[in-house]
Amino acid sequence: MSGGSAGNLSALVVARDTGRHHRGPDERAPVRIAVSDQVHSSVGNTLRILGVEPLVVPTADHRLTGEALRAALDAAERNAARPSSAPSPPRGTTNAGIIDDLEGVAEQTGARDLWLHIDAAYGGAALFVPELRERLRGIEHPDSLVVDPHKWMFAPFDCGALLYRDPKPARAVRTQDASYLDAIHGADGTDDETEWNPSDYAYHLTRRPRGLPLWFSLAVHGTDAYRDAVARGADIARRTARLVERTEGLELLREPELTVVLVRRTGWQPEDYYAWSKRMLSSGTAFVTPSVWEGETVARLAFRHPDITEGTVRAILDSLFDEG
């Protein structure tokens, strides 16, 4: 599909309707979807499209935990507002590359028979790297999972993927019935499990083969090349963090978990960061955009290209002291 936004929308429609089915025959029964207070904007937009109220779960240090989810669900049940659909933790929170407590969240959803959806659009590629894989414990548990190869898997725009643990609930929700579609659903009325039609698993019928560039790249380069390229991004982020720590006038805001490095430039105001970002782009040096961290505008460096060098990183950091 086109990316994480389309994947989240398609998956959470299935989560919503599956939750309603568990509650009874009313197709319009109110449901709520539990989300972290750090959830990606595409999920918030999806909830508005679906007309579903969020159950916002507070995070500790910007990380959704199983304990926080348990407390939120218990409170909702006491208030007779029990969610009947899926928590949607943002796997690898985009702004700072933070990894949620997937194992703890999955424990809570499994115990309550709730649909679990994980947005791994950016961070899912870390599974390629053995040293990073342990941080993703729990990613094997969701009912649905989104990952965007056009992010940290180097595929061209637009290329996103939505995976279901069991495709049957998605087919039950998504299959579109019309006489002119009989040829792809089985005109004889049978439900042949060997037949596979992608329109049964997402909201759109028309599509092009977005996955082909990724398939060809994997076939040509092999997964070891992907492992090395992803590992390089994580390594350069760690090296950048050390450079920031050694540079007077710069402050590392948190240790990078994936490839995002948040940096404070002493004495700068928001307009300084935005002017710096424009200079970097206009000079062709780098595309770096400011972000907001805990209410403060900061520099956000996101590394994915495997060929970036420490020399380039040093030039980017030095540019923070160029007043233009």
Side-chain angles (χ1 to χ4, degrees), residues 68-186:
L69 178 60
R70 183 200 61 76
L73 293 173
D74 286 348
E77 289 178 353
R78 287 195 298 271
N79 293 326
R82 184 177 180 224
S84 57
S85 158
S88 177
R91 238 288 317 121
T93 303
T94 304
N95 192 39
I98 298 171
I99 301 171
D100 289 312
D101 172 24
L102 301 181
E103 195 76 43
V105 169
E107 182 179 345
Q108 294 300 319
T109 58
R112 299 167 188 258
D113 193 25
L114 299 180
W115 184 285
L116 174 60
H117 173 66
I118 291 181
D119 180 354
Y122 152 53
L127 286 169
F128 276 109
V129 183
E131 294 78 13
L132 298 177
R133 196 172 299 145
E134 178 63 19
R135 302 180 188 179
L136 306 185
R137 279 189 302 115
I139 200 172
E140 68 275 17
H141 295 305
D143 298 283
S144 54
L145 171 76
V146 165
V147 62
D148 280 358
H150 66 216
K151 288 190 170 73
W152 204 6
M153 290 171 65
F154 321 109
F157 287 130
D158 49 8
C159 180
L162 167 59
L163 294 84
Y164 293 100
R165 172 176 296 279
D166 179 1
K168 293 188 184 70
R171 293 181 65 189
V173 170
R174 297 249 60 98
T175 299
Q176 301 186 41
D177 295 319
S179 58
Y180 53 84
L181 298 177
D182 285 347
I184 58 176
H185 290 311

Side-chain angles (χ1 to χ4, degrees), residues 121-304:
Y122 152 53
L127 286 169
F128 276 109
V129 183
E131 294 78 13
L132 298 177
R133 196 172 299 145
E134 178 63 19
R135 302 180 188 179
L136 306 185
R137 279 189 302 115
I139 200 172
E140 68 275 17
H141 295 305
D143 298 283
S144 54
L145 171 76
V146 165
V147 62
D148 280 358
H150 66 216
K151 288 190 170 73
W152 204 6
M153 290 171 65
F154 321 109
F157 287 130
D158 49 8
C159 180
L162 167 59
L163 294 84
Y164 293 100
R165 172 176 296 279
D166 179 1
K168 293 188 184 70
R171 293 181 65 189
V173 170
R174 297 249 60 98
T175 299
Q176 301 186 41
D177 295 319
S179 58
Y180 53 84
L181 298 177
D182 285 347
I184 58 176
H185 290 311
D188 58 1
T190 61
D191 186 13
D192 187 350
E193 298 261 339
T194 65
E195 294 292 329
W196 185 83
N197 177 23
S199 69
D200 292 341
Y201 306 102
Y203 69 84
H204 53 308
L205 280 173
T206 304
R207 67 191 67 218
R208 59 184 178 83
R210 291 182 173 96
L212 275 181
L214 173 66
W215 185 90
F216 277 113
S217 181
L218 282 165
V220 170
H221 298 291
T223 54
D224 286 355
Y226 274 77
R227 176 202 63 206
D228 295 343
V230 170
R232 174 62 178 166
D235 179 63
I236 200 68
R238 290 190 293 268
R239 291 172 181 267
T240 300
R242 304 291 78 80
L243 284 171
V244 170
E245 290 176 330
R246 295 196 299 267
T247 303
E248 186 176 353
L250 298 183
E251 181 181 348
L252 180 69
L253 296 180
R254 66 180 299 130
E255 185 67 22
E257 293 186 43
L258 294 173
T259 65
V260 175
V261 182
L262 298 180
V263 181
R264 176 187 291 123
R265 162 67 157 87
T266 303
W268 268 19
Q269 300 301 313
E271 56 269 23
D272 297 311
Y273 290 100
Y274 284 98
W276 164 74
S277 176
K278 290 180 180 179
R279 291 196 301 272
M280 288 292 94
L281 183 58
S282 63
S283 68
T285 303
F287 177 49
V288 286
T289 58
S291 187
V292 175
W293 179 253
E294 297 184 344
E296 177 187 1
T297 301
V298 298
R300 179 181 183 272
L301 309 178
F303 300 104
R304 290 195 297 273

